[in-house]
Structure formats: structure tokens, C-alpha cells
């Protein structure tokens, strides 16, 4: 009979690589190749089933006799120690009281088991539906990974497109569209801010005498100065050829604004090299505060900063002026704006 049992266990290993054979005392007689791989540091020979496995359900199966009485019942078992892998099992008694055959499987924990024990298709019976599930899991994982990569690329493309739509291509500053968006957001949320309109003085002469390439170089240098002057959360936008708008989030201190504007003007007045040529420009600026109005309006605030800017030009350029009473009359006096500079449009 021993020869017959040995042949039986050999066949069982082919059909059920996750099987256990036990005698009437619970001693392990045979173990499938996959279990041997999973528990490579365990000597199954002469080891008792309950030393290696714990029965979770049905509850109360503590002895071999209890186990034998659960023939044909789905068992929930767990390996003791290590990864404590949970498995399903079903028991069939062998004839003539020679013991029992237990067929084991992973159930829904197969993915974790494959990962933990580095299992492959060769570790399962060729007809095991687990293989099909593994293929489905791998296909789903590959599809999900491809989907995540595609979504990431699409999100990156969307962000790049939005950034491009809000960016001035020459200077890298925000553009008018971005400025409008920031103003609308600040006004709608009720946040206080100051708005400065800055215009370059003598820029037209650079373009006329040295060409547009020189003008572009000047604008790029000026943009770099402006970026270095603002805080995180502030905005500077190029809204025209040589016109710029600053939005200082939460800054209403006139002294701080004046210091910042004066420093900007001084830095912009420093000579800018273009090849062998030297470009000299200056800047005038006008600022208004969002608190000047009970209900701030982007259009009105821009007009106020515009009026203050041209009042600064009328006072001799290269200076900064705050919007206030009488500014409209001051900027509109005849002769205060040079012939090559246009006055701002009134509403």
C-alpha cells in the first residue's frame, strides 16, 4: 500500500501543487511543490498539520478528529508565522483510514501571495483558474498603469497649455489674460491688494535707433528685474509693448510700495548692454489701492493706476505717483505727455 500511496502523492503533486497529505494523527505525509517553495525553510516530514496551520473557520476545529469530521467543508486556514498567508482548503478522507488529502488555494489573496512568494504560472496546476485570474490581474494592472501614464501626460499637457495661455512669450511674465484672471479672483474673494501700472520711458528710442532685437533684449532684462522684486503670491504682467502691471497681494502700506517702486525705477535706469551698444531707459509708475473703492472694479482700478502713471510722466518721468484726488485733472493737462506717448483713455 505504501507504493500505491507514493504513486498517489506523485499524481497529486501534478494535479494539486498546493496539497497536503496527512495521516490519522495529523502528521504530514506529503506536500505539494508550491507549498514546499512557499515554506522552503520548513521540513514537512513528521510535522503535524496544526503546528504549521491554524483553522480560522469553521471555528472550533482544534484536533485531527475535528478536522476529519469537516470532510467536504470549505476551510479557511492560515499559515503560522512568516507572512501568515490565508488560504482556502477542502479535505477528502483516504480509504481504509490512511488519512486525508487536503487541497489548498489562495482565493482572493492570490495577488499578495504571488508577490510575497514570487510565484509563477509553473507553481499552479495548468487547469487552475487562478492562472486566468492572474493574467486578468496583470492585464488590469498594465491597463491601469498605462491609464495613469496617459492621464499624467494629459494633465501635464493641460497645465502646459494653461501656462502658455497665461504667459507672455517674450518675457516669461504673465500676460493680460492672466492679469484679468488674478484681479477677478482677488476681487471676488474680497482680498485687499495694490495695483501698480509701470511704463518704460524712452523705450521707443531704443527700438527706433537700435532695432527691435535690442528692444526685446531690454524687455527681457526689465522682466528679470521685475520678477526679482516681487514676493511669492504677487503678480507682474506685461499688458502691452512696454507696459506692465504689478498686483501686490495684501500690500496696502504706501511707504513699502513707494520704496519698492523707487527701487524698481533705479534698477531699470541702470544701462543695459546689447552687443557693443548701451541702452538707456527709465520707468514711470502709478499705483492705486483696492481699498480706494467700496466695491472694487478691475476696470476702474486699472484706470486709476493708469491716471497715476501719466501724472508721474507729467511730473517729469522716472518717478512714482499714488492715485488720489486731483490726479485726473493733473494727467489731462495739455503738454504733460511727450508727443511719442499716448494719454490713457478715459472711461
Amino acid at each position: 500500500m505504501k507504493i500505491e500511496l507514493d504513486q498517489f502523492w506523485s499524481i497529486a503533486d501534478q494535479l494539486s501543487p498546493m496539497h497536503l497529505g496527512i495521516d490519522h494523527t495529523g502528521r504530514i505525509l506529503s506536500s505539494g511543490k508550491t507549498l514546499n517553495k512557499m515554506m522552503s525553510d520548513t521540513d514537512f516530514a513528521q510535522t503535524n498539520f496544526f503546528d504549521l496551520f491554524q483553522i480560522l473557520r469553521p471555528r472550533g476545529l482544534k484536533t485531527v478528529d475535528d478536522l476529519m469530521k469537516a470532510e467536504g467543508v470549505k476551510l479557511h486556514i492560515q499559515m503560522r508565522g512568516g507572512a501568515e498567508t490565508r488560504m482556502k482548503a477542502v479535505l477528502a478522507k483516504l480509504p481504509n483510514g490512511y488519512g486525508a488529502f487536503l487541497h489548498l488555494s489562495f482565493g482572493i489573496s492570490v495577488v499578495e501571495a504571488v508577490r510575497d512568494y514570487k510565484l509563477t504560472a509553473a507553481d499552479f496546476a495548468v487547469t487552475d483558474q487562478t492562472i486566468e485570474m492572474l493574467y486578468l490581474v496583470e492585464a488590469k494592472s498594465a491597463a491601469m498603469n498605462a491609464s495613469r501614464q496617459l492621464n499624467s501626460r494629459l494633465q501635464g499637457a493641460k497645465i502646459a497649455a494653461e501656462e502658455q495661455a497665461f504667459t507672455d512669450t517674450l518675457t516669461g511674465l504673465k500676460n493680460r489674460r492672466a492679469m484679468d484672471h488674478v484681479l477677478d479672483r482677488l476681487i471676488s474673494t474680497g482680498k485687499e491688494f495694490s495695483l501698480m501700472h509701470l511704463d518704460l520711458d524712452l523705450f521707443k528710442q531704443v527700438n527706433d535707433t537700435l532695432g527691435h532685437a535690442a528692444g526685446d533684449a531690454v524687455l527681457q532684462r526689465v522682466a528679470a528685474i521685475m520678477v526679482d522684486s516681487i514676493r511669492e503670491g504677487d503678480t507682474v504682467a506685461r499688458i502691452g509693448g512696454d507696459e506692465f502691471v504689478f498686483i501686490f497681494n495684501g500690500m496696502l502700506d504706501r511707504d513699502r510700495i513707494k520704496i519698492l517702486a523707487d527701487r524698481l525705477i533705479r534698477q531699470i535706469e541702470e544701462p543695459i548692454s546689447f552687443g557693443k551698444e548701451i541702452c538707456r531707459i527709465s520707468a514711470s509708475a502709478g499705483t492705486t489701492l483696492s481699498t480706494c473703492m467700496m466695491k472694487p472694479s478691475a476696470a476702474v482700478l486699472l484706470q486709476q493706476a493708469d491716471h497715476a502713471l501719466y501724472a508721474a510722466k507729467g511730473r517729469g518721468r522716472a518717478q512714482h505717483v499714488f492715485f488720489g484726488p486731483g490726479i485726473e485733472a493733473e494727467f489731462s493737462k495739455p503738454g504733460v505727455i511727450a508727443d511719442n506717448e499716448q494719454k490713457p483713455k478715459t472711461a
Side-chain angles (χ1 to χ4, degrees):
M1 185 63 188
K2 181 178 185 305
I3 295 176
E4 293 177 359
L5 278 177
D6 289 342
Q7 292 174 339
F8 174 79
W9 297 131
S10 177
I11 294 171
D13 199 28
Q14 297 180 46
L15 299 178
S16 177
M18 289 183 59
H19 80 272
L20 283 174
I22 62 173
D23 66 14
H24 67 282
T25 66
R27 181 171 58 92
I28 296 175
L29 303 174
S30 174
S31 56
K33 62 181 181 180
T34 301
L35 284 178
N36 293 334
K37 178 178 180 179
M38 293 168 57
M39 305 175 71
S40 57
D41 57 347
T42 301
D43 182 9
F44 283 96
Q46 308 302 318
T47 304
N48 190 278
F49 171 84
F50 286 98
D51 291 335
L52 300 179
F53 298 94
Q54 175 187 4
I55 299 178
L56 303 177
R57 291 200 303 273
R59 297 182 183 278
L61 301 186
K62 303 294 185 183
T63 67
V64 177
D65 288 340
D66 295 334
L67 182 59
M68 293 297 183
K69 293 175 183 177
E71 182 178 17
V73 176
K74 182 168 70 173
L75 306 174
H76 294 255
I77 68 175
Q78 182 180 41
M79 292 170 56
R80 297 183 185 274
E84 297 186 346
T85 303
R86 295 193 176 198
M87 292 179 284
K88 307 291 190 301
V90 63
L91 177 144
K93 292 180 182 178
L94 297 177
N96 302 321
Y98 284 109
F101 172 89
L102 286 104
H103 173 72
L104 283 68
S105 68
F106 293 113
I108 61 174
S109 60
V110 62
V111 176
E112 291 79 5
V114 167
R115 178 196 62 209
D116 294 341
Y117 300 105
K118 297 180 175 56
L119 302 180
T120 67
D123 296 310
F124 298 87
V126 293
T127 58
D128 195 333
Q129 292 299 312
T130 301
I131 299 299
E132 303 299 326
M133 191 174 80
L134 284 176
Y135 289 148
L136 291 175
V137 169
E138 290 177 359
K140 180 181 177 181
S141 177
M144 291 293 291
N145 186 51
S147 177
R148 283 192 295 269
Q149 291 179 355
L150 177 60
N151 287 337
S152 177
R153 289 196 298 269
L154 289 175
Q155 184 66 17
K158 179 183 177 183
I159 293 172
E162 290 176 349
E163 185 67 22
Q164 186 176 11
F166 286 123
T167 302
D168 175 65
T169 55
L170 175 64
T171 62
L173 302 177
K174 301 300 183 184
N175 57 19
R176 180 179 286 275
R177 181 180 179 186
M179 178 202 72
D180 291 338
H181 177 76
V182 173
L183 281 177
D184 289 343
R185 176 170 51 81
L186 290 175
I187 291 172
S188 65
T189 56
K191 293 185 178 180
E192 297 177 336
F193 60 93
S194 57
L195 188 150
M196 179 191 296
H197 188 181
L198 183 145
D199 184 86
L200 301 182
D201 302 321
L202 309 176
F203 179 73
K204 186 174 184 298
Q205 285 87 325
V206 173
N207 272 337
D208 291 346
T209 59
L210 299 178
H212 288 286
D216 289 349
V218 168
L219 290 173
Q220 290 168 342
R221 173 57 186 154
V222 168
I225 293 171
M226 292 176 173
V227 170
D228 288 340
S229 71
I230 61 174
R231 308 163 302 167
E232 184 177 356
D234 293 337
T235 300
V236 55
R238 182 188 178 207
I239 63 169
D242 59 350
E243 294 183 69
F244 303 86
V245 165
F246 291 79
I247 303 172
F248 300 112
N249 191 3
M251 186 188 295
L252 299 175
D253 188 324
R254 288 174 174 257
D255 291 336
R256 287 182 63 191
I257 295 170
K258 183 179 186 307
I259 291 171
L260 188 152
D262 290 344
R263 183 171 67 246
L264 263 173
I265 292 169
R266 287 196 306 272
Q267 291 177 324
I268 291 172
E269 285 181 328
E270 294 179 3
I272 299 173
S273 299
F274 178 72
K276 296 181 179 180
E277 303 292 339
I278 297 296
C279 306
R280 298 181 185 276
I281 59 170
S282 185
S284 300
T287 298
T288 188
L289 308 180
S290 63
T291 51
C292 289
M293 305 175 62
M294 290 293 293
K295 295 183 178 180
S297 161
V300 174
L301 289 172
L302 286 166
Q303 186 183 67
Q304 289 176 351
D306 203 34
H307 290 175
L309 162 65
Y310 280 91
K313 286 183 175 291
R315 295 179 187 182
R317 298 191 183 91
Q319 56 186 288
H320 170 259
V321 172
F322 282 101
F323 177 80
I327 289 295
E328 292 95 332
E330 183 176 342
F331 89 82
S332 60
K333 290 179 182 179
V336 300
I337 307 296
D339 291 340
N340 62 355
E341 293 172 345
Q342 297 179 348
K343 295 180 182 179
K345 295 179 181 180
T346 57

